[in-house]
């Protein structure tokens, strides 16, 4: 007996489930279903589907019709896209309006609250004594200098060179200590002379001091003369036409909006700015010049009708009137118009009690000096920064082009030694000195026997004995200018104090263990040279970072560099590293020298630590300030 099973009916479908076996026959337009105890007929065409039960135990005895969704997706319609676009445009406009409202609020607040700043009273300058000279740093320099050209195997000569170097270092420290004590005494005398001149109302001293204090004010002021204890000041107020055309407001429903600035509101805002800067000018003058008792101030501006300079306000205020008045809120600035004597303003009050909307310059024919100043002024209607004092008020100081190295900067040991040879016999023969200030080809020495080692990022090398005494760093840039800096860090990667940051404004560490020696420019590149004496580094300093930074005054990044190379050398070896700079960085840590404990088996006698060199090449987008701040330096923003 054989068992046969066949499903061959065209259009039949069989479904098996826990409820039984179901089969259906026929096309989808008309299909019969049977099985699982019931029979039904269905019909379907397109998205529509009808199902009719033919009896059985099914509770679905009624006809039901369903609609199926097709899987076709057509995306948003053109109307939907248009609505979304309009909504996005309205949102962008609202965001722009909100930003403008916030900016105007900030401008109004900052421009009318200048007088709320504080200005500490001037005191006699405190002249700190010179820092002590690190005999370790000097000894390291002397040893490095004396060991140049001495064979590493000439033990007797090296020992004698060290002995001579130690004696020379002691003589140098004594000589420099005496010299710096004389410098300190001269600075004390100079400070006493200046303080007496300031308190005694020496005209030149007072005027220079006050103008230095005024140099960063939003409204430019200039002290022009001193008679007795009365200081005359000219202040340049921004033109009223420079104010924005709009001001913050609200709609009838209370929504923040922008409204057109009316003439009267413009005059009131301008007057508020004027009085705030006037109070600030008086307060700062009294703070920095303790000998004056009265200030006469004339405020000049360019009037819109004539586009010529004229006097907008003048008056005289005593020290008591300014210092006894509480200045707590922005509106307090307007009170200065009710103080003092001979106060007159171009903003007048009408008969109805409102401010006039027309500004006219004051008549100053009776004030001969002020009339003469304006008569000789060259009226230039071209646009200028609001805080810039017009050239007719006086000559501007020449910009500082050289950085002061400080009165207590030590003379380089090599130069001192050379000068001693001219004065008389020295302890030993003078060794050959490197070119000054930057070697043309090699960091140290003139020997052609230097071993040159190329480094890659992350690679480290031990520093030989000669390098522990003196380690020269030469960085070469091409494409734009950059600066060399050193950071002396503890084991946590932080500086002990701001003095451990050696850069263009602080060119050496107090103990001279790290210093910048100079920079040389050529048509194609810039070279800067520095020196580190690991032997003289304080015990708490574990690492010295070698850093290159872009000039912060130009705003450029190190992307502008076509080439950067750091050469680190002692008298026996020269290491060269060319980092791959990341895009957008403003500072890069080129290398570091660091100390590591020496294994006991490797050094049973002698030093218990070893100095090593590592090439890094890590970039910093925040530039010099960010790099310094991350290592604990207190950076002024």
């Amino acid at each position: 007996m054989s068992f046969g099973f066949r499903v061959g009916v065209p259009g039949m479908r069989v479904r098996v489930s826990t409820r039984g076996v179901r089969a259906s026959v026929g096309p989808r337009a008309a299909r019969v279903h049977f099985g699982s105890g019931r029979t039904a007929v269905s019909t379907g065409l397109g998205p529509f589907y009808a199902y009719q039960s033919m009896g059985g135990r099914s509770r679905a005895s009624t006809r039901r019709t369903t609609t199926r969704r097709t899987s076709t997706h057509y995306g948003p319609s053109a109307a939907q896209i248009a609505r979304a676009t309009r909504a996005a445009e309205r949102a962008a406009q609202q965001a722009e309006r909100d930003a403008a409202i916030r900016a105007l609020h900030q401008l109004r607040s900052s421009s009318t609250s200048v007088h709320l700043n504080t200005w500490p009273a001037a005191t006699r300058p405190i002249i700190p004594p010179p820092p002590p000279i690190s005999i370790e740093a000097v000894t390291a320099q002397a040893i490095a200098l004396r060991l140049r050209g001495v064979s590493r195997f000439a033990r007797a000569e090296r020992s004698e060179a060290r002995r001579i170097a130690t004696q020379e270092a002691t003589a140098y420290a004594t000589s420099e200590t005496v010299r710096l004590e004389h410098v300190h005494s001269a600075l004390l005398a100079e400070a006493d002379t200046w303080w007496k001149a300031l308190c005694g109302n020496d005209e030149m001293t007072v005027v220079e001091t006050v103008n230095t204090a005024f140099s960063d004010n939003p409204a430019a002021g200039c002290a022009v003369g001193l008679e007795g204890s009365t200081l005359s000041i000219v202040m340049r107020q921004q033109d009223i036409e420079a104010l924005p055309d709009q001001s913050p407001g609200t709609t009838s429903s209370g929504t923040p909006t922008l409204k057109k600035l009316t003439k009267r509101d413009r005059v009131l805002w301008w007057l508020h700015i004027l009085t705030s800067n006037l109070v600030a000018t008086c307060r700062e003058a009294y703070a920095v010049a303790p000998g004056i008792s009265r200030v006469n101030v004339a405020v000049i501006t360019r009037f819109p009708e004539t586009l010529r300079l004229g006097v907008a306000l003048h008056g005289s205020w005593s020290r008591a009137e300014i210092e006894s008045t509480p200045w707590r809120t922005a509106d307090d600035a307007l009170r200065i118009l009710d103080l003092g004597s001979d106060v007159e303003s171009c903003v007048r009050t009408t008969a109805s009690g409102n401010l006039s909307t027309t500004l006219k310059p004051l008549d100053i024919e009776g004030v001969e000096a002020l009339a003469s100043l304006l008569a000789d002024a060259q009226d230039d209607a071209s646009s200028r920064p609001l805080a810039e004092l017009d050239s007719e008020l006086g000559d501007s100081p020449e910009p500082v082009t050289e950085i002061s190295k400080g009165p207590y900067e030590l003379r380089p040991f090599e130069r001192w030694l050379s000068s001693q040879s001219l004065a008389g016999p020295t302890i030993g023969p003078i060794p050959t000195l490197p070119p000054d200030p930057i070697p043309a080809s090699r960091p140290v020495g003139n020997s052609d026997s230097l071993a040159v080692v190329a480094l890659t990022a992350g690679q480290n090398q031990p520093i030989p004995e000669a390098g522990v005494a003196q380690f020269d760093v030469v960085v070469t840039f091409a494409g734009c200018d950059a600066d060399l800096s050193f950071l002396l860090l503890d084991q946590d990667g932080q500086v002990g104090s701001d003095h451990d940051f050696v850069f263009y404004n602080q060119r050496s560490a107090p103990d001279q263990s790290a210093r910048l020696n100079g920079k040389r420019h050529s048509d194609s590149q810039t070279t800067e040279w520095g020196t580190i004496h690991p032997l003289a580094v304080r015990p708490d300093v574990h690492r010295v970072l070698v850093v290159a930074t872009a000039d912060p005054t130009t705003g450029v990044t190190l992307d502008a560099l076509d080439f950067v190379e750091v050469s680190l050398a002692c008298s026996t070896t020269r290491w060269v590293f060319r980092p791959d700079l990341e895009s957008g960085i403003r500072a890069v840590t080129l290398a570091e020298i660091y100390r590591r404990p020496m294994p006991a088996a490797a050094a049973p006698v002698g030093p218990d630590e070893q100095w090593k060199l590592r090439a890094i090449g890590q970039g910093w987008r925040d530039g010099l300030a960010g790099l310094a701040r991350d290592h604990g330096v207190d950076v002024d923003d």
Side-chain angles (χ1 to χ4, degrees), residues 63 100 233 274 457 467 496 566:
R63 182 179 179 180
I233 300 173
L274 187 155
V566 56

Side-chain angles (χ1 to χ4, degrees), residues 7 9-15 22-26 28 31 34:
V7 178
V9 179
M12 175 175 284
R13 294 185 179 183
V14 179
R15 298 181 182 177
R22 299 178 61 190
S24 60
V25 181
R28 183 170 180 269
R31 182 171 295 174
F34 54 88

Side-chain angles (χ1 to χ4, degrees), residues 137-434:
V138 180
T139 303
Q141 296 179 61
I143 291 174
L145 186 64
R146 285 290 176 184
L147 289 179
R148 285 176 182 161
V150 179
S151 171
R152 298 180 61 184
F153 302 102
R155 296 183 177 275
E157 293 182 24
R158 294 179 71 84
S159 177
E160 179 64 13
R162 288 178 177 275
R163 185 188 67 79
I164 293 175
T166 302
Q167 295 180 11
E168 290 175 339
T170 302
Y172 168 83
T174 302
S175 172
E176 283 296 276
T177 299
V178 172
R179 184 182 69 83
L180 294 183
E181 286 177 353
H182 287 301
V183 172
H184 182 237
S185 299
L187 291 176
L188 289 175
E190 184 178 348
D192 285 337
T193 301
W194 177 87
W195 181 247
K196 290 178 181 178
L198 181 65
C199 295
N201 286 335
D202 175 74
E203 184 175 21
M204 184 62 69
T205 303
V206 172
V207 168
E208 288 181 351
T209 302
V210 171
N211 286 340
T212 300
F214 285 169
S215 61
D216 59 350
N217 289 0
C222 181
V224 294
L226 179 68
E227 185 175 359
S229 61
T230 300
L231 182 67
S232 296
I233 300 173
V234 176
M235 195 180 85
R236 174 66 163 93
Q237 168 68 4
Q238 70 181 81
D239 303 338
I240 191 171
E241 295 299 322
L243 292 179
D245 296 327
Q246 294 178 310
S247 66
T250 56
T251 63
S252 57
S253 60
T255 303
T257 186
L258 294 173
K259 65 178 183 179
K260 183 175 177 57
L261 190 65
T262 65
K263 288 184 177 181
R264 185 163 284 107
D265 288 341
R266 179 187 293 272
V267 169
L268 178 58
W269 186 6
W270 181 81
L271 180 63
H272 203 167
I273 295 173
L274 187 155
T275 54
S276 179
N277 284 288
L278 177 59
V279 174
T281 296
C282 294
R283 293 186 65 192
E284 188 169 20
Y286 282 130
V288 301
I292 63 175
S293 60
R294 179 170 290 276
V295 291
N296 295 335
V297 183
V299 181
I300 64 173
T301 190
R302 183 170 287 109
F303 287 84
E305 290 188 359
T306 62
L307 296 180
R308 295 184 63 85
L309 291 173
V311 176
L313 182 145
H314 64 68
S316 180
W317 292 269
S318 69
R319 179 183 289 271
E321 290 168 338
I322 295 298
E323 294 183 347
S324 63
T325 301
W327 309 102
R328 299 191 182 96
T329 67
D331 290 339
D332 286 342
L334 296 169
R335 300 172 60 184
I336 197 171
L337 299 176
D338 300 325
L339 302 175
S341 58
D342 299 325
V343 179
E344 189 174 358
S345 171
C346 67
V347 180
R348 304 183 185 277
T349 304
T350 64
S352 59
N354 295 321
L355 295 179
S356 61
T357 58
T358 302
L359 301 182
K360 294 183 178 181
L362 299 178
D363 183 7
I364 55 171
E365 291 300 328
V367 187
E368 182 178 351
L370 191 55
S372 175
L373 184 146
L374 286 180
D376 295 337
Q378 295 180 357
D379 190 9
D380 182 4
S382 61
S383 60
R384 300 181 179 183
L386 296 179
E388 180 184 347
L389 183 64
D390 283 343
S391 60
E392 59 269 14
L393 297 184
D395 296 331
S396 300
E398 292 296 328
V400 177
T401 57
E402 295 185 359
I403 299 172
S404 174
K405 296 183 178 180
Y408 296 144
E409 182 164 0
L410 296 175
R411 288 181 293 178
F413 174 78
E414 298 93 334
R415 303 306 152 205
W416 172 85
L417 192 61
S418 178
S419 67
Q420 293 301 109
S421 66
L422 299 177
T426 57
I427 299 173
I430 303 298
T432 303
L433 299 178

Side-chain angles (χ1 to χ4, degrees), residues 62-134:
T62 61
R63 182 179 179 180
R64 64 179 184 269
T65 301
T66 61
T67 302
R68 293 178 177 174
R69 291 182 178 272
T70 63
S71 60
T72 304
H73 178 70
Y74 296 100
S77 65
Q80 291 174 324
I81 294 176
R83 286 195 297 269
T85 302
R86 289 194 297 270
E89 291 175 350
R90 287 194 298 269
Q93 292 172 358
Q94 184 61 47
E96 185 177 352
R97 186 181 301 110
D98 291 343
I101 292 172
R102 288 193 299 270
L104 285 174
H105 276 299
Q106 176 62 30
L107 177 61
R108 185 178 287 269
S109 174
S110 61
S111 64
T112 58
S113 58
V114 182
H115 61 285
L116 299 181
N117 293 331
T118 57
W119 294 272
T123 58
R124 182 189 179 281
I126 298 175
I127 308 298
I133 297 176
S134 171

Side-chain angles (χ1 to χ4, degrees), residues 574-595:
R574 177 174 176 243
W575 297 269
V576 177
F577 175 49
R578 295 181 180 180
D580 293 328
L581 300 181
E582 305 171 37
S583 176
I585 63 173
R586 291 180 171 85
V588 58
T589 303
L590 297 171
E592 67 173 351
I593 65 168
Y594 58 99
R595 62 172 107 212

